[in-house]
Amino acid sequence: MVSIDEVARLAGLSTATVSRALSGRGYVSAASRERVRIAAQQLGYVVSSRASSLASGRTRNIGVVVPFLDRWFFSTVLSGVSSALMRRGYDITLYNITADEDVRKDVFETALRRQRVDAVIAVAIELDEDETEQLLALGLPVIAIGGPNARLDTLTVDDFALARLATEHLLSLGHTDIAHIGANPEFDIDFHIPTNRRLGFEQALADAGIAPNPAYLEPADFTVDGGYRAAKQLLGRPGPRPTAVFAASDEMAIGAVLAARDLGYRVPEDLSVVGIDGHELGDFFRLTTVDQFPLAQGERAADAVLAKLESSDEPTAHGELPFELIVRGTTARLPKA
């Protein structure tokens, strides 16, 4: 096997400099770092994770706790986390928090305490006091994404503000008969994201002097199919119909667009539709959305947790994550009667 000394000789640098460049800890100039990279590549040198762990007391492995692995939003955040960590030579271990309370309990009481990770990122999981205490007891850097936790470093998403912005966009186009596709109660768990988005929707209506119409509130399950079925209910039942739909996720918004077209409604001429997330299919469907940049959320969380790892003086990471209204082709001004 190629040794680090051989890499140092080829690069013309000290072993200590090469070690810092390969580990990512400590200052190394960009030029020296590049010389190390080229030398290591030429020699086929790969850092031994076991040797690195013994020398540094670290695993170069970050634990990521998520509520779902099969949902687009969470897989996109994970992609951002993974790419940012891999660039810095770290691996990830996933801990999937399921609806099974025993599984969730085991993650916090057993899996995370095996000392196989250097830090933890929790994605959109509302931690109770006991779970928060268990994380803090690990003595590891922890970054939480998604909602406030006064005892942890958090990167927060203001779901109330996201929904309010989406609804205000429809109001600015002259729509007043606006429907909302939200979520069934069983999906209103961590940080009550669906509820906060519904409240943001209702507040925007209230600010415009409009009372929410209960007939224009339809629950779904944050999937394309769920949005499709909900929109068919809204548009297919007898009586007045909405001129616009705000869906609490882009996938449900895409489902609403497909349902409207199947029922013979033109989007956006007969029905405007807006969602939330920044889904990768949004551009294909020309979907107007409030983009919350999930890929960048993952990258920012990874950068924050590595900064905490590499410097004990790193300030606490608190901050609201950015979002932006992206206007495309599924919303239009309400035609004058």
Side-chain angles (χ1 to χ4, degrees), residues 63-86:
V64 183
V65 186
V66 292
F68 301 101
L69 291 175
D70 58 349
R71 298 291 179 88
W72 172 85
F73 174 81
F74 296 99
S75 65
T76 304
V77 173
L78 281 175
S79 180
V81 170
S82 178
S83 62
L85 291 178
M86 288 181 67

Side-chain angles (χ1 to χ4, degrees), residues 264-328:
Y265 294 105
R266 298 169 301 164
V267 177
E269 293 85 357
D270 301 321
L271 182 76
S272 284
V273 179
V274 62
I276 287 180
D277 277 339
H279 198 286
E280 59 190 354
L281 289 177
D283 202 25
F284 176 82
F285 282 93
R286 301 184 63 237
L287 179 68
T288 295
T289 185
V290 177
D291 194 341
Q292 60 170 323
F293 310 109
L295 189 71
Q297 287 187 24
E299 292 175 340
R300 182 170 170 183
D303 288 344
V305 85
L306 291 183
K308 298 291 287 184
L309 260 177
E310 293 168 5
S311 173
S312 58
D313 296 329
E314 186 69 21
T316 301
H318 285 286
E320 289 193 358
L321 293 163
F323 56 88
E324 180 182 356
L325 176 67
I326 307 296
V327 179
R328 296 193 181 103

Side-chain angles (χ1 to χ4, degrees), residues 14-309:
S14 70
T15 302
T17 299
V18 173
S19 177
R20 290 198 302 274
L22 292 172
S23 68
R25 292 187 295 274
Y27 174 75
V28 178
S29 71
S32 294
R33 194 179 298 277
E34 181 63 11
R35 286 163 62 185
V36 171
R37 186 192 68 78
I38 293 172
Q41 186 178 56
Q42 289 178 353
L43 293 171
Y45 179 82
V46 178
V47 177
S48 165
S49 60
R50 180 173 297 179
S52 177
S53 178
L54 288 172
S56 66
R58 293 186 181 173
T59 65
R60 298 194 70 79
N61 190 19
I62 306 298
V64 183
V65 186
V66 292
F68 301 101
L69 291 175
D70 58 349
R71 298 291 179 88
W72 172 85
F73 174 81
F74 296 99
S75 65
T76 304
V77 173
L78 281 175
S79 180
V81 170
S82 178
S83 62
L85 291 178
M86 288 181 67
R87 286 196 299 268
R88 305 280 286 278
Y90 281 79
D91 298 320
I92 65 172
T93 296
L94 293 179
Y95 300 95
N96 184 200
I97 299 293
T98 69
D100 187 325
E101 290 186 7
D102 289 335
V103 172
R104 180 169 181 141
K105 185 177 180 181
D106 183 64
V107 167
F108 289 97
E109 291 188 355
T110 305
L112 287 171
R113 299 178 68 179
R114 290 178 180 142
Q115 297 183 333
R116 295 177 180 171
V117 298
D118 295 330
V120 177
I121 297 172
V123 181
I125 294 175
E126 188 167 13
L127 305 168
D128 62 28
E129 278 298 313
D130 186 50
E131 291 168 342
T132 300
E133 191 63 43
Q134 288 174 344
L135 278 181
L136 291 172
L138 295 174
L140 302 175
V142 179
I143 297 292
I145 306 176
N149 186 318
R151 303 182 65 195
L152 297 175
D153 288 359
T154 56
L155 302 174
T156 59
V157 179
D158 191 340
D159 288 289
F160 183 93
L162 267 69
R164 187 169 181 170
L165 177 59
T167 309
E168 287 173 345
H169 170 64
L170 295 174
L171 290 166
S172 72
L173 296 173
H175 296 279
T176 55
D177 295 319
I178 305 173
H180 175 53
I181 299 176
N184 293 315
E186 60 264 33
F187 290 94
D188 191 21
I189 46 177
D190 296 302
F191 300 120
H192 304 290
I193 291 169
T195 292
N196 287 331
R197 292 182 182 180
R198 176 179 55 78
L199 292 174
F201 163 74
E202 292 177 347
Q203 186 61 56
L205 292 183
D207 291 344
I210 301 169
N213 184 343
Y216 288 169
L217 300 175
E218 195 67 33
D221 61 0
F222 272 61
T223 66
V224 173
D225 184 59
Y228 181 90
R229 287 184 276 107
K232 275 206 162 182
Q233 289 292 319
L234 288 167
L235 300 173
R237 63 170 64 112
R241 66 169 183 84
T243 63
V245 171
F246 159 53
S249 78
D250 279 353
E251 290 188 70
M252 292 193 293
I254 289 169
V257 170
L258 296 174
R261 290 173 179 171
D262 283 355
L263 291 172
Y265 294 105
R266 298 169 301 164
V267 177
E269 293 85 357
D270 301 321
L271 182 76
S272 284
V273 179
V274 62
I276 287 180
D277 277 339
H279 198 286
E280 59 190 354
L281 289 177
D283 202 25
F284 176 82
F285 282 93
R286 301 184 63 237
L287 179 68
T288 295
T289 185
V290 177
D291 194 341
Q292 60 170 323
F293 310 109
L295 189 71
Q297 287 187 24
E299 292 175 340
R300 182 170 170 183
D303 288 344
V305 85
L306 291 183
K308 298 291 287 184
L309 260 177

